[in-house]
Amino acid sequence: MVLRKLEKKGTSRYVCPVCGEALHFISGGAVQVVDGKLDMDNIHPKYECESCGVFYREVMGTGYYDTFPLLKEPKQVKKNTPSATGDLMPMQLKRDENGDCSCPRCGAGMEFVEGQPVRLVEGKPDMENVWDHFVCEHCQSVYRRIAGTDYFQWTEK
């Protein structure tokens, strides 16, 4: 394990100790559940260098950083790292020619459920499936159509 001290370029941003390019700061986030296990790696902030394909994470407040490979996936398809639900704005979701659509949170395939008539459940109207929606079984997300539009919004299942 080779620990490095990051240097600032001028007074603004840290630069990569290998190539000298400016590093992109990524703040830490909430604990996530990935494949049924807690993912604690992304709770700590890090500095990414896209030109070298690595990121740097500080080791226990020492001011020294360990290097890790940067595993980037396409922005629309992020597997195993669901987006925070508060980050998801209404979006247009469309099925491809095979009737498939990828989940914006985790990249898994979603099932399209066509709107159904109101049903009575235990004597009360059940409006849950009245509008078209997409369901992702992988990350338990549901995207419901916003009335009268082609836009869908994430909702709790």
Side-chain angles (χ1 to χ4, degrees):
M1 169 164 52
V2 176
L3 299 179
R4 300 174 186 264
K5 190 124 177 119
L6 298 182
E7 304 286 330
K8 283 193 175 184
K9 185 177 189 177
T11 58
S12 58
R13 300 178 80 177
Y14 283 110
V15 294
C16 178
V18 175
C19 69
E21 293 290 322
L23 295 173
H24 181 66
F25 177 74
I26 305 294
S27 61
V31 174
Q32 297 176 353
V33 178
V34 177
D35 293 330
K37 297 178 184 175
L38 291 179
D39 179 10
M40 304 289 282
D41 286 339
N42 292 323
I43 63 172
H44 303 290
K46 61 185 176 182
Y47 293 91
E48 293 183 347
C49 179
E50 292 194 15
S51 64
C52 290
V54 297
F55 71 88
Y56 300 93
R57 183 171 290 138
E58 188 174 13
V59 178
M60 301 178 77
T62 61
Y64 288 91
Y65 292 78
D66 199 0
T67 308
F68 301 91
L70 186 60
L71 303 173
K72 284 283 189 179
E73 295 186 31
K75 291 184 190 265
Q76 287 278 328
V77 182
K78 290 186 175 181
K79 296 190 191 263
N80 297 332
T81 54
S83 305
T85 55
D87 295 342
L88 298 173
M89 300 302 294
M91 64 197 80
Q92 285 186 314
L93 295 176
K94 295 182 181 178
R95 294 179 283 173
D96 63 16
E97 59 275 350
N98 297 327
D100 299 327
C101 181
S102 295
C103 177
R105 285 190 70 209
C106 70
M110 295 192 296
E111 175 186 352
F112 178 75
V113 179
E114 292 188 25
Q116 302 168 1
V118 176
R119 297 181 306 156
L120 291 178
V121 177
E122 297 179 9
K124 297 180 183 176
D126 178 11
M127 306 285 284
E128 186 173 333
N129 294 323
V130 172
W131 297 102
D132 295 342
H133 59 281
F134 289 93
V135 177
C136 177
E137 295 297 330
H138 184 263
C139 69
Q140 305 301 311
S141 292
V142 176
Y143 299 87
R144 298 200 181 278
R145 183 181 299 276
I146 297 174
T149 70
D150 289 331
Y151 286 86
F152 290 78
Q153 177 67 50
W154 179 89
T155 59
E156 291 188 41
K157 202 168 194 182

